[in-house]
Amino acid sequence: LTLRERLDLDSTEGTDHIAEHVPERRRFSVQRTMAMGRHTKITGGGRVFSFSALVVVGDARGTAGFGYGKALLAPQAVQKATRDAEKFMFSVPMTADRRILNGFKVKQGGVIVSLRPLAPGAGVRASPMLTNLCEAFGITDVSVKTHGRRNLKNIVRAFFQGLHDYPRSQRQLAEGLGRKWFDPRRDYRYRPHQPSSTASNAWAPAQTRDAPYN
């Protein structure tokens, strides 16, 4: 073997197993670059330019996330923002026709974002930017509005915070899915066998002023 063939053999020897352990990056059906920024820093040696990116990724099936990245080049900033979005993804329970159960109203900085569910078949009634956020989760039949300032980063934060923190009880989830909600506390089979020490008339309706006294 020549020297070049020996070097090629040594460089590839024992590397067949690496591809099996390297995890594949998740591929999302929705990936939107919401905003790109160019920044300038003045130093003693001159001006240093950098780029920032705000990216939203999702699978259009109830899971999405957003991230922010900054780098010297624009593609690297988008790549950092995408990795940041993949770290902080969460899921939202939806019905079979991709509708959410209830709305919310969240304030982030000077921005107020309100979301209201609509009747089936109404579609998404929002601006193009908010429509991209709904497409990342796959939500439909909603009306999204913003009030106050137009800071894009705060709008995205308020939208995701509202979907992450909005109340979703077991009863609401069952009613949204069209199923019957079972409460074991109201079933006789789960009642305690020992008699209660509370008086029988403790929960009776209070008498009004017009009602005659006994």
Side-chain angles (χ1 to χ4, degrees), residues 15-86:
T15 59
D16 298 337
H17 66 284
I18 296 180
E20 300 178 0
H21 299 277
V22 175
E24 297 182 358
R25 294 186 58 85
R26 299 177 59 184
R27 295 183 179 180
F28 301 96
S29 57
V30 179
Q31 181 174 348
R32 301 282 190 272
T33 302
M34 306 300 296
M36 291 289 300
R38 183 183 179 185
H39 311 276
T40 305
K41 181 180 180 181
I42 300 177
T43 62
R47 297 181 179 180
V48 178
F49 298 96
S50 60
F51 297 88
S52 62
L54 180 63
V55 177
V56 174
V57 297
D59 58 357
R61 292 182 296 178
T63 303
F66 77 97
Y68 182 80
K70 189 175 181 181
L72 297 179
L73 299 178
Q76 296 178 0
V78 174
Q79 186 178 7
K80 284 185 177 181
T82 303
R83 292 180 179 178
D84 188 39
E86 294 175 0

Side-chain angles (χ1 to χ4, degrees), residues 187-198:
D187 194 279
Y188 71 94
R189 293 173 295 181
Y190 295 90
R191 293 179 182 176
H193 298 284
Q194 298 180 358
S196 176
S197 59
T198 307

Side-chain angles (χ1 to χ4, degrees), residues 53-213:
L54 180 63
V55 177
V56 174
V57 297
D59 58 357
R61 292 182 296 178
T63 303
F66 77 97
Y68 182 80
K70 189 175 181 181
L72 297 179
L73 299 178
Q76 296 178 0
V78 174
Q79 186 178 7
K80 284 185 177 181
T82 303
R83 292 180 179 178
D84 188 39
E86 294 175 0
K87 294 178 182 178
F88 303 100
M89 299 185 68
F90 62 92
S91 301
V92 175
M94 299 187 301
T95 60
D97 52 354
R98 300 190 304 169
R99 294 189 302 113
I100 63 175
L101 306 178
N102 51 0
F104 60 84
K105 187 175 182 180
V106 178
K107 180 179 180 181
Q108 181 70 32
V111 176
I112 300 177
V113 177
S114 60
L115 184 143
R116 181 170 56 93
L118 300 178
V124 179
R125 300 179 182 178
S127 63
M129 185 266 298
L130 294 174
T131 302
N132 292 333
L133 300 181
C134 295
E135 291 178 353
F137 282 98
I139 299 174
T140 184
D141 301 333
V142 292
S143 174
V144 189
K145 296 182 179 180
T146 59
H147 307 276
R149 298 186 178 275
R150 294 295 184 266
N151 190 331
L152 184 59
K153 188 183 296 185
N154 287 342
I155 291 176
V156 176
R157 286 178 178 175
F159 183 84
F160 276 82
Q161 181 181 353
L163 289 179
H164 184 270
D165 300 338
Y166 86 105
R168 44 182 182 268
S169 61
Q170 295 182 359
R171 179 187 292 272
Q172 293 174 346
L173 182 59
E175 293 177 355
L177 298 176
R179 301 175 182 176
K180 185 177 180 181
W181 182 67
F182 172 73
D183 187 3
R185 296 173 298 179
R186 301 179 62 89
D187 194 279
Y188 71 94
R189 293 173 295 181
Y190 295 90
R191 293 179 182 176
H193 298 284
Q194 298 180 358
S196 176
S197 59
T198 307
S200 59
N201 59 349
W203 304 107
Q207 295 180 350
T208 60
R209 182 174 299 178
D210 300 335
Y213 294 95

